[in-house]
Amino acid sequence: MLWILFAGKGQKFTVMTILDKKKEPLWTGELELKENTAGFRPHKIRILKREGKELSDEEYIQSKEFINLLKKANRIMIATGCSAAQENELKSMLSAYQLKYEYVNICRFCLLQKRFNFINKSSIRYHKEMICPECAKDELKKVLKNSRQNMGDSTVDFFYETLLRTKDFDKTASLLSADRLDPEVTRYDTIRSAGSEKQFPVKKLRIHNRLKNLLLAKSDQLLPVQSMAVDAGLLDGKNLMVVSATATGKTLIGEIAGIENILSDKGKMLYLVPLVALANQKYDQFKKRYSEIGLSVSIRIGAELIKTKSTSDMKKSLDSDIIVGTYEGVDHILRLGNADSLGQVGTVVIDEVHMLTDSDRGHRLDGLIARLRYLFPETQFIYLSATVAGPEYFAEKLDSELVVYEHRPVPIERHLVFARDDEKIRLMAQLVKDEFNMKSSKGHRGQTIIFTNSRANCHTIAASLHAFGINSAYYHAGLNLAERKTIEHKFARGEISAIVTTAALAAGVDFPASQVIFESMAMGIEWLTVSDFLQMSGRAGRPDYHDRGIVVLMPVPGKSYSSGATGTEEEVAIALLKGGLLEEEFDYDEEEQLEELLASVSVTTSRSDLSKIQKSMFGDISENIMLIKLQKYKFIELGKEVKQTRLGQIASAYFLSVSKTYMIVDSINAGISPLHIITNLDFFTAASFKYAEQISKDLRMNLPSRVFQGAFMDIIFDGENLKDVSPKYQKLLLNFAADMFVCSCQESPYCGCAERKFSEKIILLRTKGLEPIEIIRKLEDDYGITAYAGDIFSYLEDAIRNLEAMELIAKNMNKNDVAKNAKELRLKIQG
């Protein structure tokens, strides 16, 4: 099939002969017409390009040969855009030979490259004209290159995909500047809600009326995933593994099973969560909800170790109908050998069960579940998660029926916005304002959660948003319980437009947000995993509040957080949006294997039962080898039965590693005081200098805010530098140096003495009755050093645990004076 195309080119015409619709013409030439007595006729036809190659020598074809070619053509086309005079000349020539023609729209950029392509439905708008996708892609490649942003291949591919989706070059290129937030351009995809699905009527549930009335007060029907759980045997005592997105109603599944089993006299409910913040919230919710039907609720978390005004009214006993606890809080009871104190347990709910795959805490949850299953074989176990790779494997391993609900009750729009660091605040402020100005059909304003990678960023972003007139708040584990609850209540009442928090709390607190913004793609200096990302993005859009959820990722092209991290932030963002969950591996190191095996010896002395517990775990434990090692460390005695030694009991109950256990033993033998021992075990390093910014200005250098970083200590020990600091801050620095850095160590100030003395200072202030927030005020007054109350709280909790372990170890060693001193110090810290 032969086509011939004419297009205007100055006073001449470009001619293309196209064979079999190919975009690369057989040849491209230049036609000059000349008028004679008969009209316009071909005068010169010069070939410029043949079979894709530019010709260096002049090559012409005869007019007669060209006319014969025209007569053979199956299709003669005139490209729109010729001048009227040119068009008349060309039509005159074609009419003289009785040749039919048609007008066509072709890509101007292709024409300039001596290529051929039609303008059609797939074409791309480029400024005020349409061009073909191939040319638009070439132009976009130039723009991306000129942007000087270090983009990876996956990012470039994303831009190409956006170009083809929007069919608008200018809108796609605008993603680079982010001067405007066009949702049609930034939208990556939309995860749609499900259509009509089965919803079980609450009235038909075979449950006690007290529970039924509570459910009816909220809704006449169960949500789809709840209905699926009922069909899977929720009310028949079956173990269930429920995998469903956030806000689909998973929590209530566990509650229905637990409360019904309580009312049926099958035993209490243990509701276990990974975070203290989430345990506090669940405790408050359950206490309010189930006290109406006469049920008691208690909490088992680290907070019961320290008596403060905010925790004094929490019920912590084990005789309640419902016990909300952190994983470690309940595991501590088992490791003490006090499983019987839990009494009859009818239901165990493991919330956020995907924490099994956590690199730091996964082995402990794995061991805890295995021990609970061993101790309570007749108990109903409900496992809840929004994201699990290979859920079939998890369900089989946990001996549970699998319930997977793949849809959300509200759709989520996911957007990708490339931004520079210096423009993120402005963009986030605009997104927060726009969302807060919208009301859902349920009458709720849009509120935003902003995830960032550090506590310092939480404060900076929240303060910057305030400057834009936005009522925002920072929220992280460094805050004390009272501070966190205040923020939670304000957010629930719609008084706060945006919460800025760390990725570490993604699985935690239930903020009913309609929008989630990822200011960073990292958690600390490590990239987010797909599992983390899905958990966090799942916070957007709640069925009782919103009609849809919005998720916005704001990567900085080329940015990374550590030299060891592979990929750049925008590549990670795209991978998170595209990524499916990877199958998890459970590979425990020797320390983790020793810990879990020793902990399991806390609940059984039987070799066969011990093997049974280990085999039910996800991670493999080299049982025989680890038992021999535990015997070597004098943590167990091996015989027909496996028995913990007293030292092993203490190490297990207080989560002590082998090295920490023997550090305590050696320190006691060396006559070191309990205060020195616990501060040598763990330093408090989360302190920062409150006036670091002001001192940096005085010194004309960037001073790190963290107190025990090398650069900060160099300043203190450099008299030349100190004289440039204003007297107010100079005095604070000198006070700190005098109290903390006076020692005879050759490595001073890098010997660790300063960290130990500072840790002692915190503990001694606590022994005088100061609460964490009061300790911070004292440190600020004396040294200009500040910290988060939550960090002080956690450090004191660890100190109490270590002192209690030390007291028991000292008694076991017949060092009664040390035991007495450790107990006295522990009680003073507890308050």
Side-chain angles (χ1 to χ4, degrees):
M1 181 175 289
L2 179 67
W3 294 352
I4 295 180
L5 171 75
F6 293 95
K9 182 185 178 183
Q11 299 299 316
K12 301 176 183 179
F13 294 92
T14 294
V15 182
M16 291 183 180
T17 59
I18 301 152
L19 192 63
D20 297 330
K21 304 181 183 180
K22 292 179 181 178
K23 293 178 182 178
E24 188 65 53
L26 187 64
W27 59 260
T28 301
E30 191 176 73
L31 167 67
E32 182 182 344
L33 296 178
K34 189 172 183 179
E35 188 176 17
N36 57 30
T37 55
F40 285 94
R41 296 291 185 273
H43 178 56
K44 289 182 180 178
I45 306 99
R46 181 187 175 189
I47 308 299
L48 303 175
K49 187 177 183 181
R50 186 185 293 277
E51 295 180 349
K53 294 182 180 180
E54 298 279 352
L55 300 183
S56 56
D57 298 328
E58 290 189 356
E59 180 181 333
Y60 293 89
I61 63 171
Q62 297 293 324
S63 297
K64 185 176 181 181
E65 182 182 347
F66 180 64
I67 292 169
N68 288 334
L69 195 64
L70 286 173
K71 291 178 179 179
K72 291 178 182 177
N74 303 95
R75 188 180 185 185
I76 297 174
M77 303 172 287
I78 301 175
T80 56
C82 293
S83 66
Q86 274 188 311
E87 192 176 315
N88 288 333
E89 291 176 7
L90 187 60
K91 285 163 45 177
S92 170
M93 184 268 289
L94 294 173
S95 297
Y97 298 110
Q98 299 180 340
L99 298 171
K100 294 182 179 179
Y101 56 86
E102 61 184 293
Y103 291 97
V104 294
N105 290 317
I106 64 168
C107 173
R108 181 175 66 86
F109 280 64
C110 279
L111 188 63
L112 292 172
Q113 299 296 320
K114 300 183 180 68
R115 294 197 311 260
F116 164 77
N117 211 342
F118 287 119
I119 296 298
N120 51 33
K121 290 181 180 179
S122 66
S123 299
I124 309 294
R125 177 167 295 283
Y126 178 85
H127 304 332
K128 294 182 179 180
E129 65 179 308
M130 302 297 289
I131 63 177
C132 72
E134 289 83 356
C135 290
K137 188 174 177 180
D138 289 341
E139 291 302 304
L140 184 58
K141 188 183 298 183
K142 295 175 186 176
V143 171
L144 294 177
K145 185 177 181 180
N146 292 334
S147 72
R148 297 181 180 177
Q149 295 183 357
N150 185 25
M151 293 186 178
D153 293 341
S154 59
T155 311
V156 174
D157 289 342
F158 167 77
F159 271 90
Y160 292 159
E161 291 165 9
T162 304
L163 179 70
L164 297 177
R165 175 171 54 83
T166 62
K167 291 185 171 57
D168 192 310
F169 178 91
D170 296 333
K171 284 185 176 182
T172 303
S174 72
L175 283 170
L176 286 168
S177 63
D179 285 333
R180 53 179 179 165
L181 293 165
D182 186 340
E184 293 305 312
V185 180
T186 61
R187 185 185 294 114
Y188 179 84
D189 62 13
T190 300
I191 302 173
R192 297 289 177 186
S193 58
S196 59
E197 294 172 318
K198 180 179 179 180
Q199 291 185 283
F200 201 96
V202 173
K203 286 185 177 180
K204 291 186 178 181
L205 290 176
R206 297 176 285 105
I207 57 176
H208 285 75
N209 285 332
R210 280 191 284 171
L211 175 57
K212 185 178 290 187
N213 291 335
L214 268 183
L215 296 176
L216 285 170
K218 186 175 182 180
S219 176
D220 293 335
Q221 292 183 317
L222 296 179
L223 291 172
V225 70
Q226 296 161 358
S227 302
M228 291 168 68
V230 171
D231 286 343
L234 178 68
L235 299 176
D236 300 321
K238 288 188 177 181
N239 300 332
L240 300 184
M241 169 84 180
V242 183
V243 181
S244 181
T246 302
T248 52
K250 292 191 302 297
T251 300
L252 190 60
I253 293 172
E255 293 176 56
I256 290 173
I259 303 306
E260 180 60 18
N261 286 335
I262 293 169
L263 297 177
S264 301
D265 295 323
K266 293 181 180 178
K268 65 186 64 174
M269 172 171 70
L270 301 182
Y271 196 101
L272 308 185
V273 296
L275 299 172
V276 171
L278 183 53
N280 287 328
Q281 192 173 65
K282 293 298 182 189
Y283 171 74
D284 289 338
Q285 290 173 353
F286 291 175
K287 187 176 170 185
K288 181 179 179 181
R289 187 179 303 158
Y290 296 116
S291 61
E292 294 180 21
I293 58 174
L295 302 183
S296 56
V297 184
S298 63
I299 187 167
R300 296 294 289 192
I301 55 176
E304 71 256 33
L305 296 174
I306 301 177
K307 296 175 184 175
T308 65
K309 294 172 185 175
S310 60
T311 61
S312 58
D313 61 342
M314 285 183 166
K315 185 176 181 182
K316 299 151 191 169
S317 63
L318 297 177
D319 59 356
S320 298
D321 299 303
I322 302 168
I323 299 173
V324 178
T326 56
Y327 303 151
E328 288 82 1
V330 171
D331 201 9
H332 178 62
I333 297 168
L334 306 187
R335 289 171 179 237
L336 282 171
N338 292 340
D340 290 344
S341 64
L342 290 171
Q344 185 178 356
V345 177
T347 316
V348 174
V349 180
I350 308 290
D351 205 352
E352 313 292 351
V353 73
H354 59 271
M355 289 296 293
L356 278 163
T357 64
D358 184 81
S359 58
D360 294 325
R361 299 169 64 196
H363 68 95
R364 287 182 177 168
L365 178 56
D366 192 7
L368 171 61
I369 292 173
R371 289 186 281 278
L372 287 171
R373 289 174 64 190
Y374 168 76
L375 290 165
F376 306 109
E378 303 302 317
T379 295
Q380 184 177 15
F381 282 76
I382 307 293
Y383 307 97
L384 307 176
S385 179
T387 53
V388 170
E392 295 82 6
Y393 169 67
F394 274 74
E396 181 182 357
K397 190 73 176 176
L398 294 169
D399 191 27
S400 56
E401 298 293 321
L402 179 61
V403 176
V404 177
Y405 180 68
E406 296 181 341
H407 302 284
R408 289 183 52 86
V410 295
I412 281 188
E413 290 181 11
R414 305 196 302 176
H415 295 257
L416 187 57
V417 177
F418 298 99
R420 300 186 310 272
D421 275 320
D422 61 0
E423 63 184 354
K424 276 189 178 181
I425 293 297
R426 175 180 62 81
L427 295 172
M428 287 191 290
Q430 187 62 54
L431 288 167
V432 171
K433 281 183 179 178
D434 290 347
E435 190 67 13
F436 195 67
N437 288 334
M438 294 184 68
K439 274 193 176 181
S440 70
S441 62
K442 284 96 170 171
H444 291 275
R445 285 185 177 276
Q447 292 169 282
T448 301
I449 298 174
I450 298 174
F451 285 113
T452 187
N453 70 317
S454 71
R455 295 178 184 180
N457 280 347
C458 289
H459 289 251
T460 300
I461 294 169
S464 300
L465 291 176
H466 272 292
F468 280 87
I470 293 170
N471 189 10
S472 60
Y474 52 82
Y475 185 99
H476 52 68
L479 304 181
N480 62 35
L481 178 59
E483 290 172 322
R484 290 202 295 263
K485 282 191 174 182
T486 298
I487 294 169
E488 291 166 20
H489 293 155
K490 283 186 176 181
F491 195 91
R493 293 194 296 266
E495 297 173 12
I496 295 176
S497 305
I499 289 287
V500 189
T501 187
T502 56
L505 287 182
V509 181
D510 182 18
F511 286 120
S514 57
Q515 179 171 249
V516 166
I517 297 175
F518 288 85
E519 187 274 337
S520 167
M521 304 304 120
M523 185 183 296
I525 61 171
E526 300 294 332
W527 294 127
L528 292 172
T529 65
V530 175
S531 179
D532 294 328
F533 171 68
L534 294 177
Q535 282 287 330
M536 296 157 77
S537 58
R539 315 309 297 180
R542 308 306 299 269
D544 295 338
Y545 294 83
H546 312 119
D547 304 310
R548 57 94 180 100
I550 299 289
V551 173
V552 182
L553 287 77
M554 302 188 76
V556 177
K559 184 173 182 177
S560 186
Y561 292 87
S562 71
S563 57
T566 56
T568 55
E569 194 168 50
E570 88 284 356
E571 290 180 301
V572 170
I574 294 167
L576 290 173
L577 288 166
K578 288 184 174 181
L581 289 175
L582 299 176
E583 295 290 339
E584 304 290 350
E585 294 183 0
F586 299 89
D587 185 16
Y588 301 155
D589 62 28
E590 181 177 300
E591 198 74 62
E592 292 167 341
Q593 291 186 50
L594 288 171
E595 179 183 335
E596 294 314 316
L597 188 56
L598 182 62
S600 294
V601 179
S602 302
V603 300
T604 182
T605 60
S606 165
R607 290 287 294 265
S608 60
D609 284 359
L610 195 60
S611 295
K612 180 180 177 183
I613 293 173
Q614 306 316 313
K615 286 176 182 176
S616 71
M617 292 176 63
F618 287 83
D620 291 329
I621 292 181
S622 303
E623 187 177 327
N624 291 330
I625 296 172
M626 294 302 131
L627 284 174
I628 292 170
K629 286 182 179 287
L630 288 171
Q631 184 183 40
K632 175 187 172 184
Y633 296 132
K634 300 179 181 179
F635 281 3
I636 63 170
E637 293 174 354
L638 278 175
K640 289 184 179 180
E641 292 185 329
V642 184
K643 293 183 180 180
Q644 288 180 340
T645 63
R646 183 60 181 144
L647 187 63
Q649 289 174 342
I650 298 165
S652 175
Y654 293 91
F655 299 88
L656 293 177
S657 64
V658 173
S659 59
K660 277 195 173 183
T661 302
Y662 279 96
M663 185 176 177
I664 293 173
V665 170
D666 293 342
S667 297
I668 292 173
N669 280 326
I672 299 173
S673 71
L675 179 59
H676 273 51
I677 294 174
I678 59 169
T679 52
N680 276 327
L681 280 174
D682 290 303
F683 293 151
F684 182 84
T685 57
S688 57
F689 205 83
K690 189 176 181 180
Y691 307 107
E693 187 176 347
Q694 292 91 324
I695 295 173
S696 294
K697 289 179 181 177
D698 289 345
L699 297 174
R700 295 183 179 87
M701 66 173 67
N702 188 20
L703 180 70
S705 61
R706 282 298 176 105
V707 171
F708 296 106
Q709 285 189 10
F712 183 91
M713 292 192 284
D714 287 342
I715 296 296
I716 294 177
F717 273 80
D718 190 333
E720 287 300 310
N721 277 329
L722 271 181
K723 66 181 177 58
D724 295 328
V725 178
S726 62
K728 174 185 175 182
Y729 306 131
Q730 193 178 110
K731 181 182 177 182
L732 293 171
L733 287 171
L734 289 171
N735 286 345
F736 181 70
D739 287 354
M740 305 298 164
F741 287 95
V742 178
C743 72
S744 57
C745 298
Q746 287 185 350
E747 297 84 3
S748 181
Y750 308 107
C751 53
C753 289
E755 289 92 330
R756 182 183 54 76
K757 288 180 180 180
F758 186 73
S759 303
E760 285 184 8
K761 180 78 174 180
I762 290 172
I763 290 172
L764 290 173
L765 287 173
R766 173 60 185 170
T767 63
K768 294 178 181 178
L770 275 66
E771 293 204 3
I773 193 67
E774 294 170 324
I775 293 173
I776 293 168
R777 293 193 191 110
K778 178 64 175 170
L779 295 173
E780 289 177 348
D781 291 342
D782 290 352
Y783 310 121
I785 288 174
T786 191
Y788 293 120
D791 290 335
I792 296 282
F793 203 98
S794 296
Y795 183 72
L796 293 174
E797 284 181 350
D798 290 340
I800 290 170
R801 287 195 185 94
N802 288 334
L803 281 166
E804 192 165 9
M806 189 191 312
E807 177 188 346
L808 297 173
I809 290 172
K811 284 182 180 178
N812 188 56
M813 297 169 63
N814 294 318
K815 301 283 187 178
N816 294 325
D817 287 344
V818 177
K820 180 183 176 184
N821 293 336
K823 181 178 181 180
E824 288 175 353
L825 182 57
R826 173 175 61 83
L827 293 175
K828 285 180 181 179
I829 298 173
Q830 281 184 266

